[in-house]
Amino acid sequence: DAGVTQSPTHLIKTRGQQVTLRCSPISGHKSVSWYQQVLGQGPQFIFQYYEKEERGRGNFPDRFSARQFPNYSSELNVNALLLGDSALYLCASSFSNQGEQFFGPGTRLTVL
Amino acid sequence: GENVEQHPSTLSVQEGDSAVIKCTYSDSASNYFPWYKQELGKRPQLIIDIRSNVGEKKDQRIAVTLNKTAKHFSLHITETQPEDSAVYFCAASMGSGGSNYKLTFGKGTLLTVNP
Protein backbone atom coordinates (compact mmCIF):
# COMPACT_ATOMS: atom_id res chain seq x y z
CA ASP A 1 0.00 0.00 0.00
CA ALA A 2 1.18 3.49 -0.81
CA GLY A 3 1.63 5.81 2.09
CA VAL A 4 0.73 9.48 2.17
CA THR A 5 2.12 11.26 -0.87
CA GLN A 6 2.81 14.95 -1.33
CA SER A 7 3.79 17.10 -4.27
CA PRO A 8 5.95 18.84 -5.13
CA THR A 9 8.90 17.72 -2.99
CA HIS A 10 10.66 21.06 -3.23
CA LEU A 11 9.52 24.52 -4.22
CA ILE A 12 11.22 27.88 -4.46
CA LYS A 13 9.10 31.04 -4.57
CA THR A 14 9.67 34.75 -4.10
CA ARG A 15 7.96 37.01 -1.61
CA GLY A 16 4.42 37.95 -2.54
CA GLN A 17 3.81 34.90 -4.71
CA GLN A 18 1.21 32.24 -4.12
CA VAL A 19 1.78 28.50 -3.73
CA THR A 20 -0.38 25.36 -3.83
CA LEU A 21 0.75 22.15 -2.15
CA ARG A 22 -0.93 18.81 -2.72
CA CYS A 23 -1.52 15.74 -0.58
CA SER A 24 -2.96 12.30 -1.27
CA PRO A 25 -3.92 10.34 1.85
CA ILE A 26 -3.52 6.65 2.43
CA SER A 27 -6.23 4.76 0.59
CA GLY A 28 -9.34 4.58 2.78
CA HIS A 29 -8.31 7.49 5.00
CA LYS A 30 -10.85 10.28 5.16
CA SER A 31 -9.02 12.82 7.29
CA VAL A 32 -6.15 15.05 6.20
CA SER A 33 -4.24 17.44 8.43
CA TRP A 34 -1.62 20.00 7.45
CA TYR A 35 1.38 20.99 9.57
CA GLN A 36 4.22 23.48 9.18
CA GLN A 37 7.65 22.41 10.43
CA VAL A 38 10.27 25.10 10.74
CA LEU A 39 13.86 23.85 10.94
CA GLY A 40 14.69 22.68 14.44
CA GLN A 41 11.10 22.75 15.69
CA GLY A 42 8.20 20.35 15.99
CA PRO A 43 5.38 20.45 13.45
CA GLN A 44 2.69 23.10 14.00
CA PHE A 45 -0.93 22.37 13.21
CA ILE A 46 -2.46 24.41 10.38
CA PHE A 47 -5.70 22.68 9.30
CA GLN A 48 -7.64 19.48 9.54
CA TYR A 49 -10.22 18.29 7.03
CA TYR A 50 -12.49 15.35 7.60
CA GLU A 51 -15.12 14.20 5.14
CA LYS A 52 -14.39 17.28 3.03
CA GLU A 53 -15.19 19.75 5.80
CA GLU A 54 -12.80 21.89 7.79
CA ARG A 55 -12.79 20.51 11.32
CA GLY A 56 -9.96 22.49 12.85
CA ARG A 57 -7.72 25.47 12.23
CA GLY A 58 -4.50 26.41 13.92
CA ASN A 59 -3.09 29.83 14.68
CA PHE A 60 -2.18 30.81 11.13
CA PRO A 61 -3.19 33.94 9.17
CA ASP A 62 -5.92 34.00 6.55
CA ARG A 63 -3.25 33.81 3.86
CA PHE A 64 -3.35 30.08 4.53
CA SER A 65 -6.31 28.14 3.15
CA ALA A 66 -7.03 24.55 2.27
CA ARG A 67 -9.64 22.26 0.86
CA GLN A 68 -10.39 18.58 0.54
CA PHE A 69 -11.71 16.93 -2.58
CA PRO A 70 -14.29 14.14 -2.98
CA ASN A 71 -11.45 11.60 -3.31
CA TYR A 72 -10.11 12.89 0.08
CA SER A 73 -6.98 14.41 -1.42
CA SER A 74 -6.21 17.92 -0.23
CA GLU A 75 -4.58 21.15 -1.24
CA LEU A 76 -2.95 23.79 0.94
CA ASN A 77 -2.76 27.30 -0.50
CA VAL A 78 -0.60 30.10 0.82
CA ASN A 79 -0.99 33.60 -0.59
CA ALA A 80 1.28 36.62 -0.37
CA LEU A 81 4.28 34.54 0.68
CA LEU A 82 6.61 35.89 3.34
CA LEU A 83 10.19 34.87 4.07
CA GLY A 84 8.93 33.33 7.32
CA ASP A 85 6.76 30.89 5.39
CA SER A 86 9.88 28.95 4.45
CA ALA A 87 9.42 25.56 6.06
CA LEU A 88 8.64 21.90 5.53
CA TYR A 89 4.90 21.47 5.00
CA LEU A 90 3.66 18.10 6.16
CA CYS A 91 0.41 16.40 5.42
CA ALA A 92 -0.92 13.65 7.68
CA SER A 93 -3.81 11.31 7.04
CA SER A 94 -5.93 9.22 9.35
CA PHE A 95 -8.91 6.97 8.87
CA SER A 96 -11.14 9.04 11.10
CA ASN A 97 -10.97 11.87 13.58
CA GLN A 98 -9.89 9.34 16.20
CA GLY A 99 -7.24 7.55 14.22
CA GLU A 100 -3.47 7.67 14.33
CA GLN A 101 -1.99 10.26 11.99
CA PHE A 102 0.50 9.13 9.36
CA PHE A 103 2.71 11.73 7.77
CA GLY A 104 3.76 12.25 4.18
CA PRO A 105 7.32 13.13 3.16
CA GLY A 106 6.53 16.85 3.09
CA THR A 107 7.07 19.71 0.69
CA ARG A 108 10.10 21.87 1.33
CA LEU A 109 9.11 25.49 0.57
CA THR A 110 11.78 28.14 0.27
CA VAL A 111 10.71 31.77 -0.03
CA LEU A 112 13.36 34.17 -1.32
CA GLY B 1 -4.19 26.51 24.06
CA GLU B 2 -2.20 23.37 24.72
CA ASN B 3 1.53 23.67 25.37
CA VAL B 4 3.94 20.74 25.30
CA GLU B 5 7.42 20.94 26.81
CA GLN B 6 10.00 18.28 25.91
CA HIS B 7 13.30 17.46 27.60
CA PRO B 8 16.14 17.01 26.99
CA SER B 9 16.73 18.74 23.67
CA THR B 10 19.73 16.48 23.01
CA LEU B 11 20.59 13.07 24.42
CA SER B 12 23.69 10.99 23.76
CA VAL B 13 23.92 7.38 24.94
CA GLN B 14 26.12 4.38 24.37
CA GLU B 15 24.78 1.48 22.35
CA GLY B 16 22.90 -0.88 24.64
CA ASP B 17 22.03 1.77 27.21
CA SER B 18 18.52 3.05 27.86
CA ALA B 19 17.20 6.44 26.80
CA VAL B 20 14.39 8.38 28.42
CA ILE B 21 12.66 11.44 26.97
CA LYS B 22 10.14 13.38 29.03
CA CYS B 23 7.25 15.63 28.08
CA THR B 24 4.78 17.72 30.02
CA TYR B 25 1.50 19.13 28.78
CA SER B 26 -0.61 21.97 30.04
CA ASP B 27 -4.22 21.08 29.24
CA SER B 28 -5.71 18.42 31.47
CA ALA B 29 -8.30 17.69 28.76
CA SER B 30 -5.63 16.22 26.47
CA ASN B 31 -6.35 12.57 25.92
CA TYR B 32 -4.04 11.22 23.23
CA PHE B 33 -0.23 11.20 23.31
CA PRO B 34 1.74 9.92 20.30
CA TRP B 35 5.49 9.79 19.82
CA TYR B 36 7.12 10.29 16.44
CA LYS B 37 10.62 9.51 15.20
CA GLN B 38 12.05 11.70 12.47
CA GLU B 39 15.29 10.82 10.74
CA LEU B 40 17.16 13.54 8.90
CA GLY B 41 15.31 14.56 5.76
CA LYS B 42 12.50 12.08 6.31
CA ARG B 43 8.90 12.14 7.43
CA PRO B 44 7.89 11.81 11.10
CA GLN B 45 7.02 8.18 11.82
CA LEU B 46 4.59 7.16 14.54
CA ILE B 47 6.41 4.76 16.86
CA ILE B 48 4.03 4.44 19.79
CA ASP B 49 1.03 6.20 21.27
CA ILE B 50 -1.00 6.12 24.45
CA ARG B 51 -4.49 7.24 25.38
CA SER B 52 -5.49 8.80 28.67
CA ASN B 53 -7.28 5.70 29.93
CA VAL B 54 -3.98 3.76 30.00
CA GLY B 55 -0.96 4.35 32.22
CA GLU B 56 1.66 2.42 30.29
CA LYS B 57 2.13 0.82 26.90
CA LYS B 58 5.01 -1.25 25.60
CA ASP B 59 6.10 -2.38 22.14
CA GLN B 60 9.30 -4.43 22.12
CA ARG B 61 12.12 -2.05 23.13
CA ILE B 62 9.89 1.01 23.33
CA ALA B 63 7.55 1.95 26.16
CA VAL B 64 5.53 5.02 27.04
CA THR B 65 4.22 5.98 30.47
CA LEU B 66 1.56 8.54 31.27
CA ASN B 67 0.91 10.32 34.55
CA LYS B 68 -2.33 12.23 34.13
CA THR B 69 -2.20 13.79 37.59
CA ALA B 70 1.21 15.32 36.96
CA LYS B 71 0.44 15.90 33.26
CA HIS B 72 3.56 14.28 32.00
CA PHE B 73 4.46 11.35 29.80
CA SER B 74 7.74 9.70 28.92
CA LEU B 75 9.30 7.59 26.18
CA HIS B 76 11.63 4.80 27.23
CA ILE B 77 13.92 3.05 24.76
CA THR B 78 15.87 0.07 26.06
CA GLU B 79 18.90 -1.63 24.51
CA THR B 80 19.47 1.30 22.19
CA GLN B 81 20.97 0.69 18.76
CA PRO B 82 22.69 3.11 16.36
CA GLU B 83 19.60 3.01 14.11
CA ASP B 84 17.62 4.56 16.99
CA SER B 85 19.52 7.80 16.35
CA ALA B 86 16.99 10.41 15.21
CA VAL B 87 14.88 13.32 16.46
CA TYR B 88 11.99 12.20 18.64
CA PHE B 89 8.86 14.32 19.06
CA CYS B 90 6.16 13.95 21.65
CA ALA B 91 2.71 15.34 21.00
CA ALA B 92 -0.58 15.83 22.78
CA SER B 93 -4.07 16.11 21.44
CA MET B 94 -7.32 17.33 22.89
CA GLY B 95 -10.25 16.42 20.75
CA SER B 96 -13.92 16.72 21.40
CA GLY B 97 -15.95 13.57 21.00
CA GLY B 98 -12.79 11.49 20.83
CA SER B 99 -11.25 13.29 17.88
CA ASN B 100 -7.54 13.85 17.93
CA TYR B 101 -6.94 15.97 14.92
CA LYS B 102 -4.92 18.77 16.44
CA LEU B 103 -1.56 17.46 17.56
CA THR B 104 0.55 19.91 19.59
CA PHE B 105 4.20 18.88 19.36
CA GLY B 106 7.16 19.35 21.63
CA LYS B 107 10.34 20.84 20.20
CA GLY B 108 12.02 17.49 19.77
CA THR B 109 14.92 15.53 21.24
CA LEU B 110 17.96 14.68 19.15
CA LEU B 111 18.98 11.19 20.26
CA THR B 112 22.45 9.98 19.30
CA VAL B 113 23.39 6.37 19.99
CA ASN B 114 27.15 5.90 19.90
CA PRO B 115 28.43 2.47 18.80
Side-chain angles (χ1 to χ4, degrees):
Chain A
D1 279 345
V4 179
T5 59
Q6 292 185 243
S7 63
T9 53
H10 295 87
L11 206 51
I12 299 175
K13 292 284 188 178
T14 56
R15 282 178 295 175
Q17 285 190 310
Q18 175 264 343
V19 68
T20 298
L21 312 181
R22 296 176 176 82
C23 171
S24 291
I26 293 171
S27 178
H29 283 195
K30 301 177 181 179
S31 172
V32 168
S33 298
W34 287 95
Y35 292 82
Q36 180 196 66
Q37 187 176 25
V38 175
L39 196 62
Q41 301 290 321
Q44 267 198 297
F45 174 77
I46 309 175
F47 285 112
Q48 195 236 16
Y49 278 78
Y50 177 62
E51 288 285 15
K52 293 155 281 183
E53 291 185 4
E54 182 184 307
R55 297 301 182 101
R57 172 185 284 256
N59 189 23
F60 280 81
D62 292 343
R63 300 185 295 109
F64 289 76
S65 63
R67 56 179 174 168
Q68 187 176 34
F69 298 99
N71 66 353
Y72 301 109
S73 66
S74 178
E75 285 183 351
L76 175 70
N77 294 285
V78 187
N79 293 323
L81 285 168
L82 303 174
L83 295 179
D85 294 332
S86 295
L88 180 68
Y89 287 85
L90 294 161
C91 169
S93 80
S94 59
F95 177 72
S96 71
N97 264 357
Q98 299 183 40
E100 296 88 348
Q101 295 190 32
F102 297 94
F103 282 88
T107 293
R108 173 73 62 190
L109 173 65
T110 301
V111 182
L112 302 176
Chain B
E2 174 66 280
N3 183 50
V4 176
E5 299 284 340
Q6 182 172 348
H7 299 280
S9 56
T10 61
L11 180 60
S12 181
V13 300
Q14 290 298 121
E15 183 177 359
D17 288 350
S18 295
V20 180
I21 302 170
K22 299 182 179 182
C23 290
T24 60
Y25 60 99
S26 60
D27 196 321
S28 56
S30 288
N31 54 20
Y32 174 65
F33 307 92
W35 286 87
Y36 286 85
K37 173 184 180 183
Q38 188 174 31
E39 297 177 39
L40 189 62
K42 296 192 174 181
R43 72 187 74 191
Q45 280 188 296
L46 178 67
I47 56 171
I48 196 167
D49 58 9
I50 191 167
R51 296 189 183 269
S52 58
N53 58 347
V54 175
E56 184 174 357
K57 185 176 178 180
K58 190 173 181 180
D59 182 4
Q60 298 182 13
R61 297 186 296 109
I62 295 173
V64 58
T65 59
L66 171 65
N67 183 325
K68 287 174 57 180
T69 304
K71 292 190 285 187
H72 66 70
F73 55 113
S74 300
L75 178 71
H76 304 253
I77 307 175
T78 59
E79 300 172 23
T80 54
Q81 302 166 2
E83 51 264 38
D84 294 330
S85 297
V87 178
Y88 290 80
F89 291 99
C90 63
S93 172
M94 176 191 65
S96 60
S99 64
N100 65 338
Y101 55 83
K102 181 181 177 180
L103 294 177
T104 300
F105 284 82
K107 291 188 176 181
T109 296
L110 174 60
L111 173 64
T112 303
V113 180
N114 302 298

